[in-house]
Amino acid sequence: MNDSLISIENMVKSYSLGGETVTALHRVSLQIDSGEFLAIIGPSGSGKSTLMNMIGCLDKPDSGSYILEGQIVEKMTDNQLAAIRNKKIGFIFQNFNLLPKLSAIQNVELPLLYAGIHHSERKSIAENCLKKVGLLDRANHLPSQLSGGQQQRVAIARALVSNPPILLADEPTGALDSKTSKEIMDVIKQLNEQGHTIIVITHDLNIANQAKRVVQIKDGKLYEKGGKELEISSIY
Ligand SMILES: Nc1ncnc2c1ncn2[C@@H]1O[C@H](COP(=O)(O)OP(=O)(O)O)[C@@H](O)[C@H]1O
Ligand SMILES: [Mg+2]
């Protein structure tokens, strides 16, 4: 027994494709404590998205265990997975995934609308989340009227509405220039300081080195190096 927020032990995940089996995760073990700011770095095809799908309760492993805040994820039904995912995890994606016809605040409110929260409460929660990402003054803009960095901030605000303990970001700066990437990482850092556990998945060393802890994934296996900043030669 341990009291990690996330405890993954010996996780294996394979895909079969046209009679062939690809093992995307090879006995991966990873413990993450509450309040950590972790980056998972690896090249294309290394298993990052597969691991993200596991951590995010979007899919289940073939074998191994996953305990999230004391709950045994690998035994859950699809409905149980959806419930734990909605409660515990805010997702941030590379391409923002905003609905183009909805304003910033309407995009942020959407998960609350689906959850059946009343209009006035929705508005106040969404405004508070837009404020956290410094974008309240753009609440009524459409995504097309916002820069890429501003759109990502709207997406982060949307991830925050259920106040999830964990924020899981898959290449959150992959569509942004380096200056805007830094701004987004600064927002993510602030959220970590406010108590959210952050997991950023990236192939970009500059992004990974902004996290407090970095693990590497290579051919479906995890590696962790103590303390020091990573160098490009150790990853590719
Ligand atoms: N649905 C799938 N069916 C078959 N193979 C897959 C599937 N998803 C991923 N893979 C394979 O698993 C490996 C890891 O993929 P992925 O987790 O997407 O890596 P990354 O996100 O690091 O690029 C790759 O070899 C990929 O081709
Ligand atoms: Mg991927």
Side-chain angles (χ1 to χ4, degrees):
M1 251 328 260
N2 66 61
D3 55 4
S4 295
L5 175 64
I6 284 173
S7 178
I8 289 172
E9 294 282 358
N10 289 321
M11 187 180 270
V12 175
K13 177 71 181 179
S14 302
Y15 299 104
S16 37
L17 195 67
E20 265 187 64
T21 302
V22 178
T23 303
L25 298 177
H26 290 267
R27 299 175 68 89
V28 164
S29 296
L30 179 64
Q31 319 291 325
I32 305 173
D33 288 337
S34 184
E36 282 206 72
F37 182 175
L38 174 76
I40 300 172
I41 187 168
S44 175
S46 58
K48 298 186 299 299
S49 293
T50 303
L51 183 57
M52 187 193 103
N53 290 345
M54 297 298 152
I55 295 173
C57 305
L58 291 158
D59 199 356
K60 287 191 287 190
D62 302 335
S63 62
S65 72
Y66 177 15
I67 298 172
L68 172 54
E69 277 193 332
Q71 300 195 56
I72 303 172
V73 176
E74 82 272 8
K75 298 216 169 93
M76 288 183 179
T77 63
D78 287 350
N79 283 342
Q80 288 172 321
L81 279 181
I84 194 166
R85 183 163 73 227
N86 288 339
K87 221 166 132 200
K88 305 286 184 199
I89 300 162
F91 290 90
I92 301 164
F93 300 101
Q94 175 169 352
N95 294 319
F96 327 133
N97 294 357
L98 300 176
L99 293 184
K101 290 193 176 153
L102 298 185
S103 67
I105 192 158
Q106 286 171 332
N107 268 286
V108 176
E109 279 184 41
L110 204 55
L112 301 170
L113 183 70
Y114 290 141
I117 311 258
H118 187 265
H119 172 75
S120 58
E121 194 184 347
R122 276 202 318 264
K123 184 161 181 282
S124 104
I125 295 171
E127 281 177 353
N128 186 34
C129 292
L130 279 173
K131 206 164 144 194
K132 280 193 186 173
V133 299
L135 216 65
L136 192 52
D137 60 340
R138 298 287 195 280
N140 295 314
H141 285 55
L142 293 172
S144 61
Q145 298 166 327
L146 298 170
S147 70
Q150 288 171 334
Q151 289 180 56
Q152 189 59 301
R153 284 197 267 165
V154 174
I156 294 172
R158 183 185 53 192
L160 289 172
V161 289
S162 59
N163 199 22
I166 302 167
L167 289 178
L168 187 52
D170 192 8
E171 303 279 4
T173 64
L176 304 172
D177 61 56
S178 60
K179 181 171 165 281
T180 311
S181 295
K182 193 178 171 306
E183 286 169 18
I184 291 299
M185 288 307 288
D186 286 345
V187 170
I188 290 175
K189 264 182 220 170
Q190 276 175 23
L191 294 169
N192 176 241
E193 280 156 18
Q194 290 165 20
H196 294 279
T197 304
I198 311 282
I199 305 167
V200 173
I201 291 170
T202 184
H203 68 278
D204 183 339
L205 193 63
N206 291 318
I207 297 301
N209 278 332
Q210 293 180 56
K212 292 185 193 154
R213 176 182 168 204
V214 181
V215 299
Q216 293 178 63
I217 184 165
K218 252 187 197 171
D219 297 330
K221 293 184 185 145
L222 272 199
Y223 302 87
E224 183 160 11
K225 204 161 95 168
K228 264 180 47 193
E229 288 214 334
L230 291 169
E231 286 160 26
I232 201 91
S233 61
S234 68
I235 296 167
Y236 295 99

